Structures are given as structure tokens and as C-alpha cells.
Amino acid sequence: MNIAVIYRKEAWYDLLSILRTPGFVIPSLAFPVVFYVFFGVMFNRGGASAYMLVTYGCFGIMGPAMFNFAMNIASDRAHGWLTLKRLSPMPVLAYLLAKFTTALVFSLVIVALLFTIAAVFAEVRLDLWQWVLLAVVLLLGTLPFALVGLILGLTLSDKAAPAVVNLVYLPMALLSGLWLPIHMLPSLLQQASWIWPSYHLSQVGLKVIGMDQGHALSIHLLLLTLSSILLAMVAVWSFKRLTGENA
């Protein structure tokens, strides 16, 4: 079978399996939309809504990436499905890219929903290039959170994964200034926000609309890149430890 067909089929069946899980689909799409409607539309307009569009956009794309990888990989491990996948001729990369593709699809839907609500109901007015660039930033920003989910999925049991993901996901969002503007957090927490990739992603997005904290774009991009490389290294180590392969 053509290798491209294998990758395409694996991606399609992974997405199909997720779409058949309402317990994943509904919260993943509903939470960022409901929060944005409540805080970004009902109580704000214009500039504040544009700011929250970015931060809740970051919050929205984090969830599907982390939960899809962590919960499903942990479940596949527990039921022996991951072992079967590894023993089959299918490349391991096809399995991982399929899950990343699913995360990207959910991120795209979330971004489209938030953008539509912002433009129609919250009076957010951006230039076309800003809408497009912001969407690209959010979609590319899915990667580090997919890696976090991968690490958790490779190291946690299927029963522990959902709780631990929430323990990582929700505090990370809060401490990165995704729920409240970062300047409203205590100064110590503002300084600590620099350790989170979600903070740097939100600042890159806010820079697109001219509402960031004013630090150099190169710094945020560099730290996002370094954190993604570090997470990828930990994920590779976790996989080799799980499979007993030599480093």
C-alpha cells in the first residue's frame, strides 16, 4: 500500500473515532466558545473582545491537543492497541501525525467559531491579514500542547490521564493570563508566566493585533521553539523508556 494512503487512512480513522465520542467533542468545542461569549461578548466589546479572542483562542486550541493525545494514547497503551500498532507495518509516525491532525481539525473549528462570534457579535474589527495571521499562529501553536499530551499519554495510566491533564491544562491557562489579562495577576505570577508556552503563544497572537505586553517577538518565538524542542526530547525519551529501546 502506498505510504501516503496509510497516513491518510490513519488520520481519517483517528478523526472518525473522536467524532463518535460526544464526551470529547462537545466540551472541546463548547468550553472556549461559551467562555468567550460570556466574557468577550456579553460584558465587553471592541478592544477588550479582541484581546479575549486571542487569549480564549489559545485556551481553546490547548484542550483538544492535550486531551486527545494524553487520554487516547494512555487508553491505547492500557488495552494493548499501541503495542499492536507498533508490531504492525504501519509507521509509528503515522499514528502520531493522525492524532496531531485531529487536534488541528478541532483547533480550526474552534478558531472559526470564535472568529465568527467576535466579528458578528463582539464588534471585533481586524484587517484581513490580521485574521489570517492570527489563525495561523493559533494553529501552529497547537504543537507544544500536543507534545505535552503525548508525554502524559506515554507516562500515565488511562484512569489517571484525564485528571492529570486537567491539573496541567487549567492552571497553565490561568497562570498564562488566558482567563484574566496578565497584568491583573500578582507581579510574582506575571514573572512566573514566562515558563509557560501558553503565555508566549498568547503574546505572539496579541502582537498580531497590537495588544501584547511589548516584549520582542523574537523572544517569544525563541522560547516557544525551545520549549517545543525540549518537550519533543522528553516525548522521545518517554517513548523509548516505554518500549525498552536504547536511547
Side-chain angles (χ1 to χ4, degrees), residues 23 100 234:
F100 186 63
V234 174

Side-chain angles (χ1 to χ4, degrees), residues 121-246:
F121 299 104
E123 301 174 7
V124 173
R125 300 292 179 261
L126 302 176
D127 292 333
L128 178 60
W129 70 267
Q130 291 176 303
W131 289 110
V132 173
L133 184 56
L134 182 56
V136 171
V137 167
L138 292 174
L139 292 176
L140 292 178
T142 303
L143 178 60
F145 308 106
L147 290 170
V148 171
L150 175 58
I151 294 168
L152 296 178
L154 291 171
T155 55
L156 298 173
S157 69
D158 58 331
K159 294 182 179 179
V164 175
V165 172
N166 275 309
L167 287 175
V168 175
Y169 173 43
L170 300 180
M172 186 190 301
L174 175 62
L175 297 175
S176 300
L178 303 187
W179 292 354
L180 296 172
I182 192 69
H183 64 265
M184 295 181 64
L185 297 178
S187 59
L188 180 62
L189 294 182
Q190 290 186 43
Q191 297 172 11
S193 66
W194 281 72
I195 68 175
W196 306 111
S198 44
Y199 167 75
H200 298 291
L201 178 61
S202 68
Q203 289 301 304
V204 173
L206 288 169
K207 192 169 283 291
V208 172
I209 63 173
M211 301 184 72
D212 62 298
Q213 287 191 297
H215 303 292
L217 174 63
S218 58
I219 295 177
H220 295 300
L221 292 176
L222 175 62
L223 291 175
L224 269 175
T225 302
L226 291 176
S227 63
S228 296
I229 293 173
L230 178 60
L231 289 168
M233 292 172 62
V234 174
V236 170
W237 177 83
S238 300
F239 181 79
K240 290 183 175 181
R241 180 172 177 270
L242 175 68
T243 59
E245 297 180 13
N246 294 326

Side-chain angles (χ1 to χ4, degrees), residues 1-7:
M1 181 181 291
N2 187 289
I3 190 68
V5 175
I6 294 175
Y7 278 78

Side-chain angles (χ1 to χ4, degrees), residues 53-67:
L53 171 64
V54 176
T55 58
Y56 279 110
C58 293
F59 173 67
I61 61 95
M62 289 167 60
M66 294 176 66
F67 280 98

Side-chain angles (χ1 to χ4, degrees), residues 41-59:
V41 177
M42 294 179 64
F43 295 105
N44 292 285
R45 287 290 189 279
S49 295
Y51 183 97
M52 292 182 179
L53 171 64
V54 176
T55 58
Y56 279 110
C58 293
F59 173 67

Side-chain angles (χ1 to χ4, degrees), residues 103-119:
L104 282 178
V105 170
F106 272 80
S107 294
L108 181 60
V109 173
I110 290 168
V111 167
L113 289 172
L114 291 178
F115 279 18
T116 301
I117 294 169

Side-chain angles (χ1 to χ4, degrees), residues 81-102:
W81 189 241
L82 183 57
T83 301
L84 181 62
K85 292 271 190 180
R86 290 181 52 241
L87 294 175
S88 72
M90 185 196 73
V92 174
L93 186 59
Y95 173 78
L96 297 176
L97 285 180
K99 297 202 174 301
F100 186 63
T101 300
T102 297

